[in-house]
């Protein structure tokens, strides 16, 4: 179910081009993550990456016996911030490619562009947009993360189709690739969105301060100086 | 990939391939796979040559063929896509065993199968002859930002801990009679994920405090240096050099 592109799927020039875009995106994310987490970046982003890696092992049933698993881009961005989110998913992809031979080494750029950059930019962008217009509550944070995640997965499929149109190694009509990719990923997106929304909502219920994307939602603590009613 | 990535590929050994510095092996594999990807798909003999090269590397590194083949299974979703190509691709139709298929699609399927498999096998050989920790040192040697390799190192170090938490949650759910049947199970699973995130993040906070109390100021101390000599670089260059010759020959020979 994962969209880890292997070697040979996309031709060499486009793979190298995607690698350059991915490197620029990761460099930008490295800078931004230092702003989000300063010297806590390495352990916190590392543990979040381990969490995303483990979360991808959790299969959820989709329909007719097939199952899907989380990509996690939008979820990571909402929980720890967009820059750290890009970094976490990119590191997961890097380790999967190098240590577990999952996803081609020349396709790493394509995979990072699709699954880290696009999902975070689209998913987190939509989430923030909705958080601004919706009433300030836990339900609307959950709804916003649902919408962000549900759109982010087909968006990654659209960008994959564009990359395929540029550097695909077989002459398949782009319409067919787009229909197949987007069709499947709308379904995956619904599972992704359900998991993302419930996860964000349950973290918000326990530690609202840890949800980066919804920090503005928590009511500021107030100091009450009136004496409490005496206990009977 | 439903089975997850629980088992690692590294096979301990002391072969010449194991002893090469990681940065040499990384560059060699990357250049090798680039040469493979850039080869015109009609030159079947060139791909046979690449396969022989990888077989030689595996033999020198004493990596059993069975281990490599078991891991190649990771490709399966794309193999399924490759088998569809002859039927959906455009271009001239030819008859194979009485079925009319696209000629370009057939070549496309071959292209993905050959290049994808060679790429996966090269990555498997890299990962099975290099410890993950050393691989990260190699990336760092190739001027990757230290913060990136630090994050990857933390991820590798704590993946087993976090996966074990997830496994304990699964046991706890099962002990209470939970079974994931359909979409309604998502609620329960996602709550587990929320709890898992909190446990991971809070563990990260504790790890950070422990590091600060031991003098951490943004850089990890280097415990092992993996410098490479010119001889080691040239030994590692043999694989991509032969592959580049093959690729050049494939472009020139009709």
């Amino acid at each position: 179910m994962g969209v880890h592109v292997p070697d040979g799927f996309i031709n060499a020039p486009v793979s190298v081009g995607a690698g350059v875009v991915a490197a620029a995106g990761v460099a930008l994310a490295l800078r931004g993550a230092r702003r989000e987490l300063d010297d806590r970046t390495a352990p916190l982003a590392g543990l979040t990456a381990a969490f995303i890696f483990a979360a991808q092992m959790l299969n959820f049933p989709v329909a007719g016996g097939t199952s899907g698993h989380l990509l996690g881009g939008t979820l990571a961005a909402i929980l720890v911030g967009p820059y750290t989110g890009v970094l976490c998913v990119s590191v997961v992809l890097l380790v999967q490619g190098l240590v577990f031979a999952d996803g081609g080494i020349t396709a790493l750029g394509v995979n990072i562009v699709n699954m880290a950059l696009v999902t975070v930019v689209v998913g987190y962008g939509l989430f923030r947009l909705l958080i601004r217009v919706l009433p300030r509550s836990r339900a609307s944070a959950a709804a916003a993360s649902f919408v962000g995640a549900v759109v982010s997965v087909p968006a990654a499929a659209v960008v994959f189709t564009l990359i395929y149109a540029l550097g695909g190694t077989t002459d398949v009509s782009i319409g067919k690739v787009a229909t197949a990719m987007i069709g499947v990923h709308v379904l995956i997106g619904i599972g992704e969105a359900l998991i993302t929304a419930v996860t964000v909502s349950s973290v918000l219920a326990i530690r609202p301060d840890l949800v980066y994307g919804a920090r503005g939602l928590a009511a500021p603590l107030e100091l009450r100086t009136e004496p409490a009613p005496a206990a009977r | 990939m439903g089975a997850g990535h629980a088992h690692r590929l590294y096979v301990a050994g002391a072969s010449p391939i194991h002893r090469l510095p990681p940065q040499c092996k990384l560059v060699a594999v990357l250049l090798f796979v680039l040469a493979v990807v850039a080869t015109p798909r009609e030159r079947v003999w060139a791909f046979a040559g690449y396969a022989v090269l990888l077989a030689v590397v595996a033999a020198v590194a004493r990596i059993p063929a069975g281990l490599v083949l078991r891991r190649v299974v990771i490709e399966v979703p794309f193999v399924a896509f490759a088998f569809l190509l002859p039927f959906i691709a455009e271009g001239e139709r030819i008859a194979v065993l009485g079925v009319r298929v696209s000629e370009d699609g057939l070549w496309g399927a071959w292209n993905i199968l050959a290049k994808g498999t060679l790429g996966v096998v090269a990555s498997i050989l890299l990962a099975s002859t290099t410890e993950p920790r050393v691989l990260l040192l190699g990336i760092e040697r190739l001027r990757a930002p230290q913060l990136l390799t630090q994050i990857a190192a933390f991820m590798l170090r704590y993946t087993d801990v976090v996966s074990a938490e997830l496994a304990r949650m699964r046991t706890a759910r099962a002990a209470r009679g939970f079974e994931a049947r359909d979409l309604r199970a998502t609620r329960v699973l996602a709550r587990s994920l929320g709890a898992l995130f909190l446990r991971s993040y809070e563990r990260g906070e504790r790890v950070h405090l422990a590091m600060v109390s031991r003098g951490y100021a943004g850089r990890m101390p280097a415990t092992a240096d993996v410098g490479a000599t010119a001889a080691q670089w040239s030994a590692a260059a043999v694989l991509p050099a032969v592959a580049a010759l093959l690729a050049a020959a494939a472009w020139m020979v009709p």
Side-chain angles (χ1 to χ4, degrees):
Chain A
M1 192 70 90
V3 229
H4 290 61
V5 180
D7 295 304
F9 210 76
I10 302 293
N11 68 21
V14 175
S15 299
V16 172
V20 172
V21 174
V26 170
L28 200 72
L30 275 169
R31 261 208 211 159
R34 279 211 192 89
R35 265 204 309 278
E36 279 164 5
L37 293 171
D38 60 75
D39 75 323
R40 301 181 304 154
T41 307
L44 286 186
L47 262 298
T48 308
F51 160 72
I52 296 289
F53 188 73
Q56 289 187 349
M57 292 186 208
L58 191 84
N59 285 286
F60 52 87
V62 177
T66 60
S67 67
H69 78 77
L70 203 66
L71 296 181
T74 310
L75 178 63
I78 294 172
L79 289 177
V80 291
Y83 293 108
T84 315
V86 167
L87 222 49
C88 291
V89 181
S90 304
V91 164
V92 169
L93 291 170
L94 176 82
V95 170
Q96 280 171 343
L98 283 183
V99 181
F100 298 94
D102 187 5
I105 194 167
T106 57
L108 188 60
V110 175
N111 284 327
I112 288 183
V113 167
N114 271 330
M115 287 192 270
L117 296 180
V118 174
T119 55
V120 168
V121 169
V122 172
Y124 189 74
L126 267 174
F127 172 82
R128 284 305 300 177
L129 212 71
L130 287 173
I131 277 285
R132 281 210 192 135
V133 292
L134 290 175
R136 290 156 55 110
S137 74
R138 190 151 71 89
S140 47
S145 34
F146 184 91
V147 175
V150 87
V151 179
S152 75
V153 178
V158 168
V159 172
F160 173 81
T161 310
L162 290 179
I163 295 178
Y164 192 84
L166 276 177
T169 46
T170 309
D171 184 20
V172 180
S173 85
I174 294 309
K176 280 182 190 164
V177 177
T179 322
M181 282 296 287
I182 296 167
V184 170
H185 284 85
V186 164
L187 284 179
I188 300 180
I190 294 173
E192 172 101 9
L194 275 175
I195 297 251
T196 303
V198 182
T199 307
V200 167
S201 169
S202 66
V203 176
L204 265 178
I206 305 167
R207 287 274 311 256
D209 57 314
L210 282 194
V211 182
Y212 183 94
R215 284 167 311 167
L217 286 186
L221 296 177
E222 55 181 288
L223 188 65
R224 291 198 185 143
T225 47
E226 296 154 35
R232 261 174 279 177
Chain B
M1 298 183 315
H5 311 268
H7 67 108
R8 303 218 164 143
L9 288 170
Y10 180 65
V11 180
S15 74
I17 312 271
H18 279 83
R19 285 198 307 263
L20 274 180
Q23 63 270 38
C24 305
K25 284 189 268 189
L26 273 166
V27 173
V29 167
L30 183 65
L31 293 180
F32 172 81
V33 179
L34 271 177
V36 170
V37 172
T39 304
R41 59 194 185 181
E42 288 82 6
R43 311 287 184 277
V44 178
W45 51 268
F47 295 103
Y50 296 135
V52 170
L53 281 178
L54 289 181
V56 170
V57 173
V60 174
R62 307 229 172 123
I63 300 297
L67 181 123
V68 176
L69 292 180
R70 266 198 306 278
R71 283 300 291 184
V72 170
V73 175
I74 201 121
E75 269 201 305
V76 162
F78 277 89
V79 172
F81 180 83
F83 276 112
L84 277 179
L85 274 178
F87 303 101
I88 60 171
E90 314 293 308
E92 238 168 273
R93 302 262 146 182
I94 54 166
V96 176
L97 302 173
V99 184
R100 295 189 61 74
V101 294
S102 153
E103 190 180 3
D104 183 61
L106 269 184
W107 278 115
W110 155 252
N111 186 56
I112 290 173
L113 285 182
K115 294 180 179 175
T117 309
L118 287 168
V120 172
V121 172
S123 304
I124 292 172
L125 289 178
L126 173 67
S128 55
T129 57
T130 322
E131 262 184 279
R133 183 180 56 84
V134 178
L135 259 179
L136 293 180
L137 272 179
I139 309 179
E140 205 171 297
R141 270 285 168 147
L142 295 171
R143 307 272 157 83
Q146 227 214 0
L147 190 54
L148 196 70
T149 53
Q150 271 188 40
I151 296 173
F154 272 105
M155 179 196 147
L156 274 175
R157 197 169 296 158
Y158 285 97
T159 289
D160 291 338
V161 176
V162 174
S163 308
E165 298 243 42
L166 194 64
R168 282 195 293 279
M169 289 179 183
R170 189 183 309 127
T171 309
R173 285 196 305 266
R176 287 157 181 78
F178 172 80
E179 194 188 336
R181 280 193 205 86
D182 51 27
L183 220 52
R184 277 169 298 175
T186 311
R187 234 176 112 76
V188 179
L189 293 180
R191 282 183 181 220
S192 304
L193 271 194
L196 185 70
F197 170 73
L198 285 175
R199 291 187 196 178
S200 309
Y201 198 88
E202 286 170 349
R203 185 184 294 277
E205 288 175 331
R206 292 194 300 276
V207 168
H208 171 249
L209 288 180
M211 284 161 65
V212 169
S213 70
R214 286 160 181 77
Y216 175 75
R219 297 185 76 83
M220 295 296 269
T223 48
D225 197 29
V226 284
T229 63
Q232 287 169 322
W233 274 111
S234 27
V238 171
L239 174 75
V242 178
L245 282 179
L246 269 174
W251 274 99
M252 283 184 286
V253 179

